[in-house]
Amino acid sequence: RVHGEINSGSFVLVVKMSRHSKNSTAAPIFRYSEKQRLKEYGTIKERIGRDSMKKFDCCHLCLHPVTNPVACPQGHLFCKECIFEALLTQKKEIKRAEKKFEADQKRLLEEEQKRKEEQVTAQIQEMEKLQYGALPQDAIKQPTQDVIQALQDKRPDSLREHKEWIKTSFWVPEQTPTAAPLALVRPSTETCCPVNKHQLRLKQLIDVKMDLVDQSDDTHVNSTGPVSAFTYQCYACKKSLNQQKISVLKTCGHVMCTTCISKFCLPEGRCMVCNQKCKDKDVISLEESGTGFSSHNKVESSTYLPAFQG
């Protein structure tokens, strides 16, 4: 492209050449520049940092710091109000699904009864017509000569070839998917956890008790660095609960480091805070805070889009 411009009374000629290597699309190979233009196709992966990770003390539903925390038997932490509202919504949906199932079942029974009545009525009418001579003797359908000849021509070899031909011919009616009505399935009446859909009831929720500490002076420092103004700490070692393994005792709901529970609670068989009995099966692991390190947790997010068909 040639551009001309006048600068201080003199004519300046400016020549701009296009970058042919990136504009050429007739090459037999798929160039890197062309791949860069197709980033919106296929699987898109992106590495996420610590700021995008859910913190330990955040609810799985509202993603805000928990208030009146409760935990499910698999260690998912919720606000009591959030999980109650979620389970109540599920119960309402279950009632709606049950009513719909009963209505569909009643409709199918009525249709089946109507079909049987129509068949009986048709048989009675045909018998009356035959009895009173309303139908001629040749009313009964007989196979035509063409049908008889076609049946005689279908020898075992021909039938085998016909079946093989049907297998490779998707347009034949025998190969097309049938539109059979779906069988009615009674909906489940059990509520489930919103995280991984395991069975969950209100009475299975565990009231979690965590030690809240005010660290507004930012003087408390541990192995993970300075903590925020309000944080939770372990009842035993007094370290802030963040990236380490965290567990809750099912019997009393006290939250501590998994290491502290193994060292101080399980050998004695009692909680070191309230002296309530506990066993190995009463220890439930909670989800710790995410970090930006791939060795600690998954740091890559993927989005699946339609692939480019070039």
Side-chain angles (χ1 to χ4, degrees):
R1 293 178 295 177
V2 180
H3 298 269
E5 59 184 30
I6 298 176
N7 186 10
S8 300
S10 61
F11 184 82
V12 179
L13 182 65
V14 181
V15 180
K16 295 182 179 179
M17 301 297 295
S18 62
R19 301 184 66 179
H20 180 72
S21 61
K22 289 193 174 182
N23 293 332
S24 177
T25 57
I29 60 174
F30 207 51
R31 299 178 184 272
Y32 174 77
S33 60
E34 295 173 345
K35 291 181 181 179
Q36 294 300 109
R37 299 176 186 176
L38 298 174
K39 282 187 175 180
E40 64 272 13
Y41 293 95
T43 302
I44 300 176
K45 297 182 180 180
E46 187 71 24
R47 187 183 178 96
I48 54 181
R50 180 180 178 181
D51 295 338
S52 302
M53 300 292 182
K54 190 183 77 67
K55 295 183 180 180
F56 151 72
D57 58 344
C58 291
C59 173
H60 277 82
L61 293 175
C62 65
L63 301 181
H64 292 294
V66 289
T67 56
N68 298 325
V70 293
C72 72
Q74 293 194 8
H76 302 119
L77 205 63
F78 305 97
C79 301
K80 181 176 288 188
E81 182 180 356
C82 295
I83 189 62
F84 277 27
E85 184 178 355
L87 294 180
L88 181 60
T89 303
Q90 291 185 23
K91 289 183 178 180
K92 291 181 179 178
E93 184 65 22
I94 289 172
K95 289 183 179 179
R96 187 197 65 80
E98 287 181 344
K99 289 182 179 179
K100 184 178 181 301
F101 173 79
E102 293 175 357
D104 292 343
Q105 195 175 29
K106 183 178 179 180
R107 176 179 55 82
L108 290 178
L109 290 176
E110 291 177 354
E111 291 179 356
E112 182 69 17
Q113 185 67 21
K114 183 178 179 180
R115 186 180 61 83
K116 290 182 179 180
E117 291 177 356
E118 290 177 354
Q119 289 181 354
V120 172
T121 303
Q123 292 177 359
I124 293 175
Q125 291 177 355
E126 186 176 356
M127 184 171 26
E128 289 178 350
K129 290 179 181 180
L130 290 174
Q131 183 177 3
Y132 292 105
L135 291 178
Q137 294 294 330
D138 56 352
I140 302 177
K141 295 183 178 179
Q142 297 294 336
T144 61
Q145 189 65 24
D146 296 337
V147 175
I148 296 175
Q149 186 65 27
L151 293 173
Q152 292 177 354
D153 292 341
K154 286 187 177 180
R155 299 180 179 87
D157 295 340
S158 301
L159 290 175
R160 193 179 302 110
E161 292 178 359
H162 181 68
K163 290 180 179 179
E164 293 295 333
W165 176 76
I166 286 179
K167 289 181 180 179
T168 58
S169 306
F170 61 88
W171 59 87
V172 179
E174 289 84 349
Q175 292 295 101
T176 56
T178 58
L182 297 177
L184 286 179
V185 180
R186 182 177 293 276
S188 176
T189 58
E190 298 292 341
T191 54
C192 60
C193 176
V195 180
N196 59 357
K197 304 303 179 183
H198 66 85
Q199 182 178 342
L200 179 62
R201 299 178 181 177
L202 285 176
K203 64 180 181 181
Q204 294 177 331
L205 293 174
I206 305 166
D207 290 329
V208 177
K209 303 173 185 177
M210 296 187 288
D211 191 7
L212 181 64
V213 181
D214 183 5
Q215 299 292 341
S216 57
D217 55 354
D218 290 335
T219 57
H220 181 68
V221 180
N222 60 6
S223 58
T224 60
V227 298
S228 59
F230 295 94
T231 183
Y232 297 102
Q233 67 179 6
C234 176
Y235 283 100
C237 63
K238 300 303 179 181
K239 291 183 179 179
S240 62
L241 301 175
N242 199 3
Q243 280 89 20
Q244 66 268 39
K245 299 295 182 181
I246 307 168
S247 299
V248 59
L249 294 176
K250 183 178 180 181
T251 54
C252 59
H254 287 107
V255 176
M256 289 177 277
C257 303
T258 304
T259 305
C260 296
I261 292 178
S262 303
K263 286 183 179 180
F264 305 117
C265 298
L266 294 182
E268 300 294 333
R270 293 181 180 275
C271 174
M272 62 171 296
V273 181
C274 61
N275 205 29
Q276 190 168 352
K277 293 182 179 181
C278 62
K279 299 180 181 179
D280 293 344
K281 64 180 182 180
D282 297 327
V283 179
I284 300 176
S285 298
L286 299 179
E287 183 178 356
E288 64 271 11
S289 300
T291 65
F293 298 96
S294 59
S295 60
H296 183 270
N297 54 274
K298 184 179 178 181
V299 297
E300 189 178 63
S301 178
S302 301
T303 301
Y304 303 98
L305 299 175
F308 174 71
Q309 302 294 333

